[in-house]
Amino acid sequence: IIAVTILFALILERDTDILTTLAFSALLVLTFKPLDLFDIGFQLSYAATFGIIYLTPKIEQILKVLPKWLSATVAVTVSAQIFVLPILAYYFYYISIISFFTNILIAPLVWLSTVFGFNQVCLGFLSLHLSAFIGLINLVSLTGILKIVKFFSNFSFSIIRVVPPTIIAILIYYVILVAIV
């Protein structure tokens, strides 16, 4: 929805604001499926995306001494993690202490999978055989992601059990976070 909105704005030669586009996509989803507001996947997706949009540039500024590829990867990972943390604690009663490192490792593979997946869909309109070949290449990337996640999930110290925060505590967390940044 976000990509289509941005492409549509480009066709109309209009400026786009990514936060407005994110809000519009959430509004559109909730217009057709209002109960998605209470869906964990919806909440995690929009919290992570908002965190990436809002916080990544600020963290990249702090990390500008690092190589660009590393500062970008760390900034995106930290931004998403900070914004999904209270939701994970609320629903799953834990906080992962190694997810940051795991996400740093899988971030390049996720990027590859996204690129290969997009190309696979596009090529599927031209040639199913070529699309299937790209799908096999993408399978390697996706398998790598799953293996890394499985490896790190086996560590007994990978999570800390927590008392789930209240909705008020979560709202205060986000207000303070946005106010500080």
Side-chain angles (χ1 to χ4, degrees):
I1 295 170
I2 293 171
V4 168
T5 303
I6 290 172
L7 290 173
F8 192 64
L10 290 173
I11 290 169
L12 296 176
E13 297 181 1
R14 304 283 299 202
D15 289 336
T16 59
D17 173 63
I18 192 67
L19 287 176
T20 304
T21 306
L22 179 67
F24 174 73
S25 75
L27 178 66
L28 196 59
V29 168
L30 295 173
T31 298
F32 293 101
K33 293 181 72 182
L35 293 179
D36 273 2
L37 181 62
F38 305 103
D39 181 77
I40 300 167
F42 177 87
Q43 293 171 13
L44 289 171
S45 295
Y46 278 89
T49 304
F50 178 79
I52 290 167
I53 292 167
Y54 185 72
L55 202 53
T56 296
K58 291 148 181 80
I59 294 175
E60 281 183 316
Q61 276 296 96
I62 294 168
L63 301 174
K64 62 184 172 189
V65 297
L66 297 174
K68 179 67 177 158
W69 66 270
L70 183 58
S71 67
T73 302
V74 170
V76 167
T77 299
V78 168
S79 299
Q81 291 292 316
I82 287 172
F83 274 83
V84 300
L85 187 73
I87 298 169
L88 292 173
Y90 180 79
Y91 285 108
F92 301 110
Y93 316 123
Y94 76 86
I95 296 172
S96 174
I97 58 173
I98 64 168
S99 62
F100 169 77
F101 301 107
T102 306
N103 286 333
I104 294 289
L105 292 174
I106 67 169
L109 294 174
V110 169
W111 180 84
L112 279 174
S113 289
T114 304
V115 170
F116 282 129
F118 179 77
N119 287 322
Q120 182 180 0
V121 169
C122 292
L123 288 172
F125 292 110
L126 302 173
S127 167
L128 290 178
H129 295 295
L130 191 54
S131 177
F133 177 72
I134 297 295
L136 286 174
I137 296 171
N138 200 14
L139 181 62
V140 173
S141 179
L142 293 169
T143 302
I145 291 169
L146 291 174
K147 285 186 183 290
I148 291 169
V149 169
K150 184 170 176 62
F151 173 78
F152 282 102
S153 70
N154 288 327
F155 293 125
S156 60
F157 62 86
S158 66
I159 61 169
I160 298 173
R161 297 256 174 230
V162 296
V163 175
T166 64
I167 298 295
I168 298 297
I170 293 172
L171 290 174
I172 291 170
Y173 173 88
Y174 285 125
V175 167
I176 291 171
L177 183 61
V178 170
I180 288 172
V181 175

